[in-house]
Amino acid sequence: MAQPVTVYRWDDPGAPQLDTATPDRIIDILKKCLIEGYGTKSPLGWAVAFEDAANKKIVFRNDPIEGSGSFVQFWHVNDNTTYFRNAESMTGLDSFIYPGYLNSINLRNTFDNGKWIVAGTKTAFYLMFARKEMDNYKPSTFDYSRNFFCGDFISTAVNDVSSFICVGYNISSDSTANTGTITTNTNNPLSGRGFSGNIFTKNAANSFGLKIRSSDGDIEIEQHNFYMVMNGTHVLPDGPLGGINLSDVILYSANGNPATKTNMPLVRGVLPGLLYLPTTYYASYPYPYFEKYNGDDYLLLPSDRVVTGQSGGCYLMLNAEWWDGPNRG
């Protein structure tokens, strides 16, 4: 079932501001968008499961009826770094049941007074940051954008028990430690780092992958990667890229399981609302920019690095009006 998308922005009336790029400001933005609302905008309808405001820790839970009812915790590491990780369930702060890999948001003080956007539904959201200097999609230096995802992907399995994921700057360790740093050079597929051809692998410490259980919970862990296939499923009919093929962002089994293995299929699902361009476009367009595709507005996500020595442009488009909901029975 399609879910309406709400887009929240730093320049909305009454919106919280990123006056310092610190974990408390990031948590405040998420609380306003997910839980409380601001100005004339209603919240997405998530819940706060656990919170320790003094130590800058909070756990959000998505809708248990339209979604999986899973959890994601955000917490302070230092004034530049916020950790976050997902789990199928939690019994308290730092008490993760079937957790995913640890991820980080590292904005540093160069993002102070910067721009932020949250686009989401009851079951998933994208969180995006850009420096205040980000006026178009081709900045003069790297590190002008940070894009993250938390929530349910659209699974090929009905009532998938492990459909909740986080996508960010990924750490290869399974550690739940509250200290340390994940460097900004660690790959983030939503910020243009680390692609090799059409597949994003996790075969090194600075690569990206996802730890996902089988859809029925029978198999505890299996590695998944992102995969983009230009199969002509989506063709942009209008705008400056008329006729260009786009792809869903697919979750693909890293172990190469046959498609007949129903609880751990080769293609596990897709990220909601997201389309992948064959190469970067729109570099000179003003940020943020919305493009019409089949009558819907799509937000262009900037890339901070496409390949070594190259920056700018856009290779991801996010539907800003509706997403297919999780595959719930």
Side-chain angles (χ1 to χ4, degrees), residues 31-107:
K31 285 186 72 173
K32 291 292 192 298
C33 297
L34 302 181
I35 308 298
E36 300 172 356
Y38 61 81
T40 60
K41 290 195 171 180
S42 300
L44 290 177
W46 290 49
V48 173
F50 308 101
E51 184 175 15
D52 180 352
N55 291 305
K56 303 173 186 175
K57 287 186 178 185
I58 191 166
V59 176
F60 299 108
R61 188 186 187 197
N62 75 348
D63 189 284
I65 298 174
E66 293 191 31
S68 63
S70 299
F71 300 76
V72 56
Q73 177 170 311
F74 290 81
W75 69 96
H76 171 274
V77 178
N78 55 51
D79 284 344
N80 294 328
T81 304
T82 305
Y83 275 178
F84 64 107
R85 83 182 311 163
N86 60 288
E88 287 180 30
S89 185
M90 295 185 68
T91 57
L93 289 165
D94 303 325
S95 298
F96 302 92
I97 299 174
Y98 294 116
Y101 284 122
L102 197 61
N103 289 272
S104 77
I105 299 172
N106 188 311
L107 298 184

Side-chain angles (χ1 to χ4, degrees), residues 152-156 248-251 267-274:
D152 289 320
F153 61 86
I154 304 167
S155 179
T156 55
D248 293 311
V249 179
I250 296 169
L251 290 172
V267 176
R268 184 65 174 269
V270 299
L271 290 184
L274 201 63

Side-chain angles (χ1 to χ4, degrees), residues 2 11 88 93 128 185 214-215 265 309:
D11 53 358
E88 287 180 30
L93 289 165
M128 294 157 272
N185 289 326
S214 61
S215 62

